[in-house]
C-alpha cells in the first residue's frame, strides 16, 4: 500500500478505514459553514465528557485533554464523513492515548505552572463519586476499564462489544468484575467515614 514516488515516512495508515493520508499536508476544514457550525457545537458539548472518558482509562486530566484535542483535530479533517462521532472520537482518543504512552520513554518531571491564568482542564468538575470511580478504575485491568468507560458513557453491551471487538458475553463479564470492584471500594469508603 505504498506509493513508490513518496518516501514512506510521510505516510500514516489509519486503522479504521485503511486509508493512507499524507501527514505533512494541511488539515482540510469541513466544506460548508453548516458543517463547521455543527462541528463547533459538537466540540463544545462533547469535549468534557470525552476527557472524562479518557480519564476513566487511567489518564490524568492533562494527558486526557491532549489526547482529546488530537482526536478532535483528526475529526475536523474528516468531519463530514464521520457517521457516529461519539463512538468514532472515543476509539480515536483511546488509540491516541495508547500511542502517547508508547512514545513516552520517561515520565515528565513536575514543572511549576507559570503565571498567566487557569488551564481549561481545571474547568472539568468531578464530584466525589466520580473521583472515587476514577481512582478505582485506575487499579482495574485495562479491559475492565475500557468496558466500564464505554458503558458508563451510555453505550449498550452490544455496541460496546462491536466497538471493542469483543463478544457481548466478554463485555458483560468484564463489566460485572469492574462493578464488583467499584462496589467493594464504595463500601470501604462508607465504612471509613462512619
Amino acid at each position: 500500500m505504498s506509493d513508490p514516488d513518496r518516501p514512506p515516512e510521510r505516510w500514516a495508515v489509519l486503522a479504521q478505514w485503511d486509508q493512507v493520508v499524507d501527514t505533512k499536508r494541511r488539515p482540510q476544514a469541513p466544506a460548508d459553514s453548516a458543517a463547521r457550525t455543527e462541528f463547533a457545537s459538537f466540540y463544545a458539548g462533547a469535549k468534557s465528557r470525552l476527557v472524562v472518558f479518557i480519564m476513566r482509562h487511567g489518564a490524568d486530566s492533562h494527558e486526557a485533554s491532549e489526547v482529546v484535542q488530537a482526536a478532535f483535530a483528526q475529526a475536523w479533517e474528516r468531519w463530514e464523513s464521520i457517521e457516529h462521532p461519539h463512538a468514532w472520537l472515543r476509539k480515536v482518543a483511546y488509540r491516541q492515548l495508547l500511542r502517547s504512552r508508547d512514545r513516552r520513554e520517561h515520565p515528565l518531571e513536575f514543572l511549576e505552572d507559570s503565571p498567566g491564568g487557569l488551564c481549561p482542564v481545571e474547568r472539568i468538575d468531578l464530584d466525589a463519586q466520580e473521583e472515587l470511580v476514577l481512582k478505582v478504575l485506575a487499579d482495574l485491568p485495562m479491559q475492565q476499564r475500557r468496558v466500564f468507560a464505554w458503558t458508563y458513557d451510555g453505550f449498550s453491551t452490544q455496541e460496546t462489544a462491536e466497538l471493542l471487538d469483543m463478544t457481548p458475553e466478554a463485555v458483560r463479564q468484564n463489566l460485572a468484575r469492574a462493578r464488583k470492584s467499584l462496589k467493594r471500594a464504595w463500601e470501604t469508603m462508607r465504612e471509613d467515614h462512619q
Side-chain angles (χ1 to χ4, degrees):
M1 226 192 201
S2 64
D3 184 349
D5 297 333
R6 295 209 181 220
E9 65 272 6
R10 291 199 55 209
W11 293 86
V13 177
L14 296 177
Q16 187 173 6
W17 294 298
D18 292 328
Q19 294 176 326
V20 178
V21 175
D22 186 353
T23 58
K24 301 288 185 189
R25 73 175 173 82
R26 185 172 184 152
Q28 297 296 313
D32 62 31
S33 64
R36 288 191 295 274
T37 303
E38 178 190 9
F39 179 86
S41 175
F42 183 82
Y43 177 85
K47 182 179 184 255
S48 294
R49 283 188 54 130
L50 188 55
V51 168
V52 174
F53 175 82
I54 294 300
M55 289 171 67
R56 289 186 195 121
H57 287 90
D60 65 31
S61 59
H62 294 284
E63 182 181 29
S65 290
E66 287 186 24
V67 164
V68 166
Q69 189 64 33
F72 270 107
Q74 289 181 33
W76 174 253
E77 294 179 12
R78 58 190 58 80
W79 181 247
E80 294 171 312
S81 67
I82 298 172
E83 292 182 30
H84 305 288
H86 289 284
W88 188 92
L89 277 162
R90 279 162 176 73
K91 284 187 93 164
V92 171
Y94 176 74
R95 289 177 184 156
Q96 185 69 30
L97 174 67
L98 294 180
R99 278 193 299 275
S100 73
R101 288 184 171 171
D102 285 343
R103 284 191 296 252
R104 192 177 342 149
E105 294 179 10
H106 304 288
L108 301 174
E109 294 179 28
F110 177 76
L111 300 174
E112 290 190 30
D113 289 334
S114 58
L118 294 175
C119 175
V121 174
E122 294 169 6
R123 292 187 198 154
I124 296 174
D125 295 320
L126 301 175
D127 61 18
Q129 183 177 354
E130 183 77 25
E131 287 183 17
L132 173 67
V133 168
L134 292 176
K135 187 176 172 183
V136 173
L137 286 176
D139 294 332
L140 294 178
M142 180 58 81
Q143 198 69 308
Q144 290 178 25
R145 261 188 273 166
R146 292 178 71 204
V147 167
F148 185 84
W150 282 88
T151 304
Y152 196 80
D153 258 19
F155 289 85
S156 71
T157 300
Q158 186 63 38
E159 290 169 325
T160 302
E162 290 172 11
L163 292 164
L164 298 180
D165 296 323
M166 300 173 69
T167 64
E169 293 79 23
V171 168
R172 284 190 286 275
Q173 184 179 40
N174 279 289
L175 186 58
R177 290 177 180 162
R179 286 179 173 157
K180 187 175 180 180
S181 295
L182 285 168
K183 183 178 178 182
R184 276 194 309 259
W186 186 257
E187 289 169 354
T188 302
M189 187 184 87
R190 281 192 7 215
E191 289 171 3
D192 291 346
H193 289 300
Q194 290 180 357

